[in-house]
């Protein structure tokens, strides 16, 4: 291991900038036992985006091509934060050149590509992580601890939602997010997070049934300029491009434990800018989480006193996961945001490179493949199982 780790980010869009910001701040959390980070480069096909991100977050240079980073001797680790169908080619090249890789979710655009990426990671012997940033939520992690220590008893059911409205406007411009096969839309973009959270809390999903994956906005205007993030304010043309994937994904599952699960996912949910939440019910209690109230969670158990028992609001503080080790002001009620999850994830990835253990360890490429297998099962229930018509 060299004295420092040179990092680069491939993709200067919304999530790419979150990774760049995370590397800039990674050494400020979880102690001082990791080697220094060198912020080497940001690469993007859009030169303006790359230059802006590099300058904003203090990286040494901007690159127009990711291939330059594969060949760069000053880069040890990369984040891949580009369109899903580009993940495999870039990851394989980076792993072959001996670099550590953190690839955003979903790991790939299909199971076959993800399987190839897992094989490439195994052959390379470097760290290959998949970016499920919500694993780093202190509140979600605290709920997971309560489930594992039996405080809620045996899991009965999980009810999760991830509703967004970034695509609710039918005249929002087209982008790569709206093209691709069935399952590559709301399910891959948002559902991948919810599936990962559910399996982290409740164990593996054994079966899927009853999925609906409708496309409710059939076409979108073609942008006349480069699209960043969800493309608010971009100038569009009169030409419209067909939407080929789903706007909504609803389905139910059975976990290996026998517990039931229901999932509701949408990118066209008016009034819900980024609304992720779940409730998990056990034989002795229940817990719930709402991303809009990041720094708290709900908890209820079978305390026998009928006068005082009921749902209680638990404010996250220094006794909960990550807070004391990561926050500059680790006191209850101070709060935190989603960007910090990226910072915690980046530090855990860097620690893994150094041979340090940061629990929970980063999600692996194998975890990303597992997640895609669940997504594929959801799609198969739509394409292979006929709907049961309800008599009039």
């Amino acid at each position: 291991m060299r004295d420092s780790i040179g990092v680069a980010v491939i993709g200067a869009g919304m999530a790419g900038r979150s990774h760049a910001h995370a590397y800039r701040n990674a050494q400020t959390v979880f102690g001082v036992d990791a080697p220094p980070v060198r912020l080497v480069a940001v690469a993007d096909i859009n030169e303006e985006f790359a230059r802006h991100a590099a300058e904003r977050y203090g990286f040494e240079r901007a690159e127009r091509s990711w291939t330059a980073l594969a060949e760069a001797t000053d880069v040890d680790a990369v984040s891949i934060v580009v369109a899903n169908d580009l993940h495999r080619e870039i990851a394989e090249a980076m792993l072959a050149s001996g670099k550590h890789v953190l690839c955003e979710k979903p790991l790939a655009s299909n199971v076959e590509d993800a399987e190839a990426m897992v094989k490439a990671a195994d052959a390379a012997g470097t760290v290959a992580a998949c970016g499920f940033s919500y694993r780093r939520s202190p509140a979600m992690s605290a709920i997971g601890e309560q489930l594992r220590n039996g405080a809620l008893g045996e899991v009965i059911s999980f009810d999760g939602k991830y509703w967004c409205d970034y695509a609710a406007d039918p005249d929002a411009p087209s982008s790569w997010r709206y093209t691709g096969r069935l399952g590559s839309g709301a399910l891959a973009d948002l559902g991948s997070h919810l599936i990962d959270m559910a399996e982290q809390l409740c164990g593996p999903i054994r079966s899927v049934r009853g999925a609906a994956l409708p496309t409710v906005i059939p076409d979108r205007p073609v942008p006349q300029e480069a699209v960043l993030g969800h493309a608010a304010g971009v100038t569009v043309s009169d030409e419209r491009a067909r939407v080929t994937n789903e706007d909504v994904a609803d389905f139910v599952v059975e976990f290996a434990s026998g517990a039931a699960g229901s999932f509701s996912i949408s990118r066209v949910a008016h009034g819900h800018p980024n609304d992720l939440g779940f409730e998990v019910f056990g034989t002795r209690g229940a817990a719930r989480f709402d991303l809009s109230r990041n720094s708290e969670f709900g908890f209820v158990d079978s305390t026998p006193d009928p006068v005082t028992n009921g749902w209680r609001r638990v404010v996250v503080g220094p006794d909960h996961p990550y807070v004391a080790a990561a926050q500059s002001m680790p006191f209850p009620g101070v709060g935190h945001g989603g960007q910090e999850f990226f910072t915690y994830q980046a530090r855990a990835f860097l620690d893994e490179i150094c041979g340090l253990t940061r629990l929970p360890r980063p999600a692996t490429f194998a975890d990303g493949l597992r997640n895609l297998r669940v997504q594929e099962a959801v799609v198969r229930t739509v394409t292979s199982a006929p709907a049961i018509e309800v008599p009039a």
Side-chain angles (χ1 to χ4, degrees), residues 199 202-209 251-263 370:
E199 292 204 316
C202 304
I205 292 170
R206 177 164 57 197
S207 62
V208 179
R209 65 175 70 89
F251 55 96
V252 297
V253 308
E254 182 181 11
F255 294 93
S257 65
S262 63
F263 293 73
R370 163 71 191 173

Side-chain angles (χ1 to χ4, degrees), residues 1-7 34-38 74 76 350 353-354:
M1 173 62 62
R2 61 174 73 185
D3 293 335
S4 61
I5 301 174
V7 299
V37 171
R38 288 176 290 108
D74 56 351
D76 304 302
L350 296 168
I353 293 171
C354 300

Side-chain angles (χ1 to χ4, degrees), residues 2-44:
R2 61 174 73 185
D3 293 335
S4 61
I5 301 174
V7 299
V9 177
I10 301 170
M14 180 175 61
R17 295 181 183 195
S18 294
H19 279 251
H21 184 274
Y23 285 125
R24 182 177 177 86
N25 290 281
Q27 298 308 103
T28 69
V29 299
F30 302 151
V32 295
D33 52 350
V37 171
R38 288 176 290 108
L39 305 177
V40 178
V42 177
D44 196 284

Side-chain angles (χ1 to χ4, degrees), residues 1 32 42 68 94 100 114 127 129 177 222 255 274 276 278 288 323 381:
M1 173 62 62
V32 295
V42 177
M94 295 298 161
H100 307 281
V127 176
R177 295 182 186 276
V222 175
F255 294 93
N274 193 42
L276 182 151
F278 64 81
R288 61 191 178 198
V323 175
T381 70

Side-chain angles (χ1 to χ4, degrees), residues 323-361:
V323 175
Q327 293 290 319
S328 56
M329 189 179 289
F331 299 107
V334 171
H336 53 260
Q339 177 59 53
E340 283 151 301
F341 303 164
F342 283 96
T343 300
Y344 303 162
Q345 176 178 264
R347 177 58 192 269
F349 174 55
L350 296 168
D351 284 347
E352 194 83 0
I353 293 171
C354 300
L356 303 174
T357 299
R358 180 73 58 197
L359 296 176
R361 298 178 70 175

Side-chain angles (χ1 to χ4, degrees), residues 235-271:
T235 304
V236 299
S237 70
D238 293 332
E239 180 186 359
R240 298 183 72 90
R242 188 167 69 92
V243 176
T244 58
N245 55 25
E246 73 286 351
D247 291 317
V248 175
D250 287 340
F251 55 96
V252 297
V253 308
E254 182 181 11
F255 294 93
S257 65
S262 63
F263 293 73
S264 177
I265 299 148
S266 176
R267 63 187 184 189
V268 291
H270 283 280

Side-chain angles (χ1 to χ4, degrees), residues 62-390:
E63 299 279 3
R64 287 198 63 187
S65 171
W66 62 264
T67 56
L69 300 182
E71 300 164 359
T73 59
D74 56 351
V75 174
D76 304 302
V78 300
S79 278
I80 300 173
V81 203
V82 293
N84 303 334
D85 59 358
L86 301 176
H87 288 184
R88 175 181 175 178
E89 180 184 10
I90 298 174
E92 289 180 334
M94 295 298 161
L95 291 167
S97 66
K99 303 190 191 310
H100 307 281
V101 174
L102 171 57
C103 183
E104 256 300 333
K105 64 78 209 167
L107 183 63
S109 59
N110 56 66
V111 166
E112 293 73 25
D113 282 353
E115 289 174 336
M117 292 167 70
V118 170
K119 290 180 180 178
D122 290 342
T126 52
V127 176
C130 189
F132 289 109
S133 58
Y134 291 126
R135 288 191 179 195
R136 299 290 160 181
S137 160
M140 198 199 86
S141 297
I143 292 172
E145 288 184 352
Q146 296 304 306
L147 285 165
R148 288 186 291 274
N149 69 23
L152 300 181
E154 299 296 321
V155 176
I156 298 171
S157 63
F158 172 91
D159 181 12
K161 66 175 184 180
Y162 201 162
W163 297 339
C164 291
D165 62 3
Y166 66 80
D169 181 357
D171 292 322
S174 181
S175 74
W176 64 267
R177 295 182 186 276
Y178 304 110
T179 61
R181 62 180 180 82
L182 189 68
S184 66
L187 178 63
D189 188 23
L190 307 174
S192 55
H193 274 306
L194 195 59
I195 290 166
D196 184 68
M197 293 175 74
E199 292 204 316
Q200 288 296 297
L201 295 171
C202 304
I205 292 170
R206 177 164 57 197
S207 62
V208 179
R209 65 175 70 89
L213 301 175
T215 303
V216 298
I217 297 176
D219 52 56
R220 294 182 177 277
V222 175
Q224 293 184 315
E225 55 189 289
V227 172
L228 177 65
H230 295 310
V234 170
T235 304
V236 299
S237 70
D238 293 332
E239 180 186 359
R240 298 183 72 90
R242 188 167 69 92
V243 176
T244 58
N245 55 25
E246 73 286 351
D247 291 317
V248 175
D250 287 340
F251 55 96
V252 297
V253 308
E254 182 181 11
F255 294 93
S257 65
S262 63
F263 293 73
S264 177
I265 299 148
S266 176
R267 63 187 184 189
V268 291
H270 283 280
H272 294 275
N274 193 42
D275 193 354
L276 182 151
F278 64 81
E279 295 193 37
V280 58
F281 298 92
T283 54
R284 297 174 54 194
R288 61 191 178 198
F289 173 72
D290 180 347
L291 185 63
S292 67
R293 305 179 72 92
N294 246 332
S295 298
E296 64 182 63
F297 61 94
F299 188 84
V300 64
D301 59 15
S302 53
T303 302
D305 188 342
V307 176
T308 60
N309 190 34
W311 279 100
R312 49 194 179 271
R313 172 174 171 257
V314 181
V315 178
V316 172
D319 293 325
H320 293 91
Y322 317 137
V323 175
Q327 293 290 319
S328 56
M329 189 179 289
F331 299 107
V334 171
H336 53 260
Q339 177 59 53
E340 283 151 301
F341 303 164
F342 283 96
T343 300
Y344 303 162
Q345 176 178 264
R347 177 58 192 269
F349 174 55
L350 296 168
D351 284 347
E352 194 83 0
I353 293 171
C354 300
L356 303 174
T357 299
R358 180 73 58 197
L359 296 176
R361 298 178 70 175
T364 64
F365 273 23
D367 293 330
L369 171 58
R370 163 71 191 173
N371 192 277
L372 277 164
R373 291 195 190 283
V374 176
Q375 293 177 49
E376 184 181 72
V378 173
V379 175
R380 285 206 308 270
T381 70
V382 177
T383 57
S384 64
I388 305 301
E389 297 290 337
V390 178

